[in-house]
Amino acid sequence: MAVTVLSVFAIERAETQREIAQLTQTAQAVGSGVERRANANAAYLRSGAALFATQQMVEAPLFRTFIHQLQLDGNYVGSDGIGWAMRVSRDDVPVVESVMRRGGNPDFRIQPAPAADQPFVVPIMYLEPDSARNRRAVGYDMYSERVRRAAMDAAMRENRPVASGRVILRQEGNRDGPPGFLIYMPVYGMDRGEARSLRGFVYSPFNGQQFLQSAINTDRIGPVGIRIYDEVEKPGNLLAELKLEERSGRTVRRTVDLAGRRWLIEVEAPASNLLSVMSVMTLLFGLLVATLLLVLARLLTQQAVEDRIALAWFEQQSSIRNSLTRELNHRVKNTLANVLSIIALTRRRATSLDDFATSLEGRIRALSATHDLLTQSEWGTTPVRLVLEAELAPYAQGAEAHVTMSGPDVELAPNDALSLGLAIHELATNAAKYGALSTPEGRVQVGWELVGEDRARIDWRERGGPELDPAARRKRGFGTDLIEKIVAHELRNPVELLFEREGVRCSLVIPVRRRGDFAIREAKRT
């Protein structure tokens, strides 16, 4: 009986593990389905934003034509439709209402009325499909509500589709309706210059329950309970639920990122009998049968675990190898392209073989010094100060340092750090030959600062060196071409290089990118 009891325990444990594995697989399938639905809708919203950005005014015929050309055939990827919400200045509210009424919507009215301190509103202008349910939402100022406003502000900051938190859609008709959410994609005008003008949002409203049912295949996942929460698990954050007749308490949780919003998916197994069929048979057959079943179950379980571990390890190694190969290929090509450009331009400017070799060696050493910094940081972000110190070390050390550097902590992507190092090397070489670093009284000031959230400006200024005559200022050398053509192209920003009488002045604008934009891979979060 002791062996029989142990056998029953092992079988039940294996059943529990199998059930947890199935729940984990189901949770993964649900999460993938939810993300797939959201990504499909986000693709439609991006295409709409690209189209409407080229239009001065989004009118009803244009919007309906856009929806028709999507060829959705009534399938709005789990949403209640696709809508257009226009940014309207507070002073233009009466004009917009009048235009909409003349355009075929006689009952159009922006509601609620904008507050005294509210400079603009974002009312719903159109919402397809044109149904009685969706007409309830037309005219509603979504910017007046806290949760929707937070999502729209995030979409404007990030310029990508962003999901809102849990809300009750206006289509439900009352505040006690089923919960839902919205996904917003900002639309900006195609104006030139740094300032961008927000025209409105292409968005989709979602009923949480309908979205969940459209994202999963209930026939394939089996009889399980599913609950989706907005960010954290609490009753007030429940977005959708597939209920079980009787709860078991055995759950698996998984988090997904849905258009910048964190969702928690909880999958619960259905209630089952106290003992499985196999356990009952083991008890009935007795000691001998229980022993055989225990050995068999143990072997099968162990083999399955080992197979899963081996398969996961092989998949991980293959993914890492592929990522490293692609990254190495990309970086080698970039480095070779820079070297070839340097060789070609140096050859055109060189007057002798020694001059060519000396100039080429200095520029290759500049690339090498910056590569050493990137290697030390494992090709992550590199501080601006370290790049400058590596290139200006001979002139910025000792009691009579000729170079002063100042600026905040700013870190650069690998390719941007290489381009900056090459530019500073050319400026330092020119200053050492002809400029401020060629005389004991000469000084170089290098300062940098952040310009907005995604760019940094680096200023190089020489003082105290030999005065530059007009003829020398007009003459262009390889260093000038390198900085104004190759470096400016790599940094995707123009370079301001001035040869003033008192010395050279150069200003570079460098993008400051997030690590996720260039890292080989990020740690996976589950």
Side-chain angles (χ1 to χ4, degrees), residues 61 86 95 132 179 188 198 205 221 261 294 330-331 460 490 521:
M86 185 172 69
V95 175
Y188 291 97
L198 177 69
I221 64 175
R261 192 78 180 181
L294 174 62
H330 172 71
R331 289 177 178 171
W460 170 286
E490 291 294 329
R521 59 185 180 275

Side-chain angles (χ1 to χ4, degrees), residues 28-321:
Q28 183 174 359
V30 174
S32 299
V34 167
E35 290 178 334
R36 186 166 54 252
R37 280 294 185 181
N39 291 338
N41 182 270
Y44 293 142
L45 297 184
R46 287 181 185 274
S47 64
L51 172 64
F52 299 150
T54 63
Q55 306 297 319
Q56 291 295 330
M57 182 69 178
V58 179
E59 298 180 348
L62 173 64
F63 185 75
R64 293 193 180 95
T65 300
F66 163 69
I67 298 298
H68 176 72
Q69 290 180 347
L70 291 179
Q71 297 180 351
L72 297 176
D73 296 329
N75 180 15
Y76 288 84
V77 288
S79 72
D80 279 2
I82 299 177
W84 166 247
M86 185 172 69
R87 182 188 186 278
V88 179
S89 173
R90 174 187 174 86
D91 298 333
D92 295 336
V93 168
V95 175
V96 172
E97 290 180 338
S98 176
V99 171
M100 290 295 294
R101 290 167 184 167
R102 291 197 306 267
N105 193 346
D107 299 326
F108 182 84
R109 180 171 64 89
I110 297 177
Q111 52 176 323
D117 58 345
Q118 186 176 346
F120 65 89
V121 295
V122 186
I124 300 172
M125 310 299 289
Y126 317 111
L127 182 56
E128 293 289 335
D130 185 16
S131 62
R133 171 183 168 82
N134 283 342
R135 291 191 200 104
R136 298 173 186 166
V138 175
Y140 174 62
D141 174 22
M142 294 188 288
Y143 206 72
S144 64
E145 194 271 323
R146 176 181 56 84
V147 178
R148 294 174 172 87
R149 181 170 60 252
M152 286 189 279
D153 289 341
M156 286 189 287
R157 287 194 306 269
E158 302 175 16
N159 194 22
R160 66 180 181 91
V162 172
S164 73
R166 180 183 184 273
V167 298
I168 304 299
L169 300 178
R170 296 287 294 185
Q171 289 92 317
E172 306 300 345
N174 58 74
R175 297 184 177 180
D176 298 328
F181 65 97
L182 307 99
I183 297 180
Y184 295 97
M185 178 64 195
V187 177
Y188 291 97
M190 303 298 288
D191 302 333
R192 294 184 177 180
E194 296 185 0
R196 297 183 303 175
S197 58
L198 177 69
R199 292 184 177 173
F201 296 86
V202 185
Y203 81 101
S204 285
F206 296 85
N207 177 286
Q209 194 70 21
Q210 294 177 358
F211 177 76
L212 173 60
Q213 291 174 347
S214 68
I216 63 176
N217 187 340
T218 54
D219 295 334
R220 296 185 61 182
I221 64 175
V224 295
I226 301 175
R227 288 177 289 277
I228 296 182
Y229 295 92
D230 177 30
E231 293 192 334
V232 296
E233 180 183 354
K234 61 181 182 180
N237 285 13
L238 182 65
L239 280 169
E241 178 181 15
L242 292 182
K243 296 183 178 181
L244 289 171
E245 295 182 359
E246 185 177 354
R247 300 187 59 173
S248 65
R250 299 187 298 275
T251 60
V252 169
R253 294 173 177 84
R254 174 184 174 87
T255 59
V256 297
D257 182 90
L258 186 133
R261 192 78 180 181
R262 180 179 177 272
W263 277 14
L264 176 65
I265 298 177
E266 183 181 81
V267 179
E268 182 178 7
S272 59
N273 298 326
L274 180 61
L275 292 177
S276 64
V277 176
M278 185 64 70
S279 297
V280 174
M281 292 177 61
T282 302
L283 290 174
L284 294 177
F285 278 96
L287 180 61
L288 180 60
V289 176
T291 303
L292 294 176
L293 290 177
L294 174 62
V295 173
L296 180 59
R298 180 63 179 174
L299 291 176
L300 292 177
T301 303
Q302 185 65 27
Q303 184 63 42
V305 171
E306 292 176 356
D307 290 344
R308 286 198 298 270
I309 293 175
L311 181 59
W313 186 85
F314 284 125
E315 290 178 350
Q316 181 185 25
Q317 295 303 310
S318 176
S319 176
I320 294 174
R321 183 173 61 254

